[in-house]
Amino acid sequence: MCWKIWGNGGTNSRKSQLSILAKRINEKLDEYDYTEKRVRTAWGKGYILQ
């Protein structure tokens, strides 16, 4: 995902930003009572919409 957003590999700072972004997306989904899909962590792989 870091490659798609920033055009290079992920630093610790950017990985932290992605974590916060996933959390905020899930919070927005909660605001609208959307429970069908969530941004989930796939350990060792990244994030998935599930």
Side-chain angles (χ1 to χ4, degrees), residues 15-29:
K15 290 176 185 176
S16 177
Q17 290 176 23
L18 286 177
S19 176
I20 292 167
L21 179 62
K23 178 183 173 187
R24 288 181 180 166
I25 290 170
N26 283 330
E27 288 172 351
K28 286 291 183 183
L29 292 173

Side-chain angles (χ1 to χ4, degrees), residues 4-21:
K4 291 285 186 185
I5 295 172
W6 294 289
N8 56 19
T11 63
N12 287 338
S13 174
R14 289 186 173 157
K15 290 176 185 176
S16 177
Q17 290 176 23
L18 286 177
S19 176
I20 292 167
L21 179 62

Side-chain angles (χ1 to χ4, degrees), residues 27-43:
E27 288 172 351
K28 286 291 183 183
L29 292 173
D30 288 340
E31 281 182 34
Y32 291 95
D33 295 323
Y34 185 79
T35 57
E36 287 183 37
K37 294 188 178 184
R38 308 298 291 174
V39 177
R40 306 256 187 233
T41 303
W43 291 104

